[in-house]
């Protein structure tokens, strides 16, 4: 039993040493740590992957993306033990899995967005009078113009407008989805709306 305890203590000390060396810039130390965690993360990835994503991204791909993120962010890791490292890597993997699922859903929705009613969008000019036949035509034309302008925006602008204006999510809710601070999400949305207005103006001027 004492021999076993000594082995455990030695492994814990080595892990702590690798963590400190990894923080100081040792790619070798970080590589050794990540390899120790690979089997555990593969099990987590298999559990976290949405069924709709299977065939599009594998557990090993998700783990590799996790290691890439962890490699860049390792100086910010504040843990000292293998358990803390595993918990940190698990959070990164879960964020990655969530991002992959959101991207898959956004891609699936993109073809349907042209059919979505846009009259509920905040701060976006749409036709209000749709009670008459001419009103329906005007609303349809305005919706088509808006969709054309939206399609010109970068994907991350389209996504934040979709989440805030169509899905009615708060900036705090979106921040958890996009792994950004609420203030960063708000600024992203402001830039997206401004660029959408510019695209609408450009389309109008070209008519």
């Amino acid at each position: 039993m004492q021999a076993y305890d000594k082995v455990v203590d030695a492994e814990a000390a080595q892990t702590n040493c690798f963590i400190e060396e990894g923080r100081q810039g040792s790619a070798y130390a970080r590589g050794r740590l990540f390899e120790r965690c690979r089997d555990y993360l593969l099990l987590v990835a298999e559990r976290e992957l949405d069924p709709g994503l299977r065939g599009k991204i594998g557990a090993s791909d998700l783990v590799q993306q996790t290691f890439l993120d962890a490699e860049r962010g390792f100086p910010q890791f504040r843990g000292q033990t293998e358990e803390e490292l595993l918990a940190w890597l698990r959070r990164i993997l879960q964020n990655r899995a969530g991002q992959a699922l959101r991207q898959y859903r956004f891609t699936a929705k993109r073809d349907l967005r042209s059919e979505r009613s846009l009259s509920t969008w905040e701060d976006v000019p749409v036709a209000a009078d749709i009670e008459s036949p001419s009103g329906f035509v005007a609303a349809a034309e305005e919706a088509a113009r808006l969709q054309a302008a939206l399609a010109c925006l970068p994907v991350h602008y389209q996504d934040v407008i979709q989440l805030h204006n169509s899905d009615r999510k708060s900036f705090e809710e979106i921040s958890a989805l996009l792994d950004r601070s609420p203030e960063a999400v708000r600024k992203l949305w402001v830039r997206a709306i401004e660029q959408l207005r510019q695209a609408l103006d450009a389309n109008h001027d070209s008519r």
Side-chain angles (χ1 to χ4, degrees):
M1 189 65 177
Q2 290 181 345
Y4 173 78
D5 291 340
K6 288 181 180 180
V7 170
V8 171
D9 290 343
E11 289 182 350
Q14 187 181 52
T15 297
N16 185 268
C17 182
F18 281 147
I19 288 173
E20 290 304 318
E21 290 176 0
R23 285 200 188 102
Q24 295 171 13
S26 172
Y28 171 79
R30 293 193 296 270
R32 289 290 301 273
L33 288 170
F34 294 161
E35 283 305 313
R36 286 185 177 189
C37 300
R38 184 181 294 275
D39 289 344
Y40 168 76
L41 290 176
L42 283 170
L43 292 175
V44 175
E46 288 288 351
R47 185 183 69 233
E48 293 292 334
L49 268 177
D50 186 90
L53 289 176
R54 298 185 187 280
K56 296 177 173 57
I57 180 173
S60 60
D61 297 323
L62 192 57
V63 170
Q64 194 59 37
Q65 291 173 356
T66 298
F67 288 155
L68 290 174
D69 289 346
E71 176 71 20
R72 290 190 292 268
F74 202 85
Q76 283 72 53
F77 173 59
R78 293 292 177 261
Q80 298 292 333
T81 67
E82 185 171 352
E83 288 75 15
E84 290 171 318
L85 177 63
L86 288 171
W88 183 66
L89 290 171
R90 184 176 65 248
R91 288 194 296 271
I92 295 175
L93 186 145
Q94 290 169 334
N95 285 337
R96 269 291 180 179
Q99 290 171 8
L101 179 59
R102 290 191 297 275
Q103 185 60 44
Y104 168 71
R105 287 176 174 171
F106 287 144
T107 300
K109 285 181 179 179
R110 194 160 294 134
D111 292 340
L112 300 177
R113 284 180 180 173
S114 60
E115 302 174 13
R116 185 185 296 271
S117 171
L118 300 174
S119 59
T120 60
W121 285 30
E122 303 167 356
D123 302 322
V124 175
V126 295
D129 180 13
I130 58 173
E131 295 182 359
S132 66
S134 61
F136 279 110
V137 172
E141 290 178 348
E142 193 71 18
R145 189 167 72 90
L146 183 58
Q147 285 294 342
L150 186 65
C152 295
L153 303 186
V155 172
H156 61 291
Y157 282 174
Q158 295 182 38
D159 290 345
V160 74
I161 290 174
Q162 167 77 24
L163 288 167
H164 186 59
N165 295 89
S166 286
D167 297 347
R168 297 295 184 178
K169 292 187 181 296
S170 68
F171 293 135
E172 288 74 15
E173 290 173 317
I174 299 172
S175 72
L177 293 172
L178 301 185
D179 197 23
R180 297 172 180 241
S181 70
E183 180 62 17
V185 170
R186 186 190 68 79
K187 291 179 179 178
L188 177 67
W189 177 79
V190 168
R191 292 195 299 271
I193 290 296
E194 179 58 31
Q195 190 159 333
L196 178 60
R197 289 186 185 280
Q198 293 175 7
L200 284 166
D201 291 342
N203 289 345
H204 184 271
D205 293 342
S206 65
R207 294 174 64 181

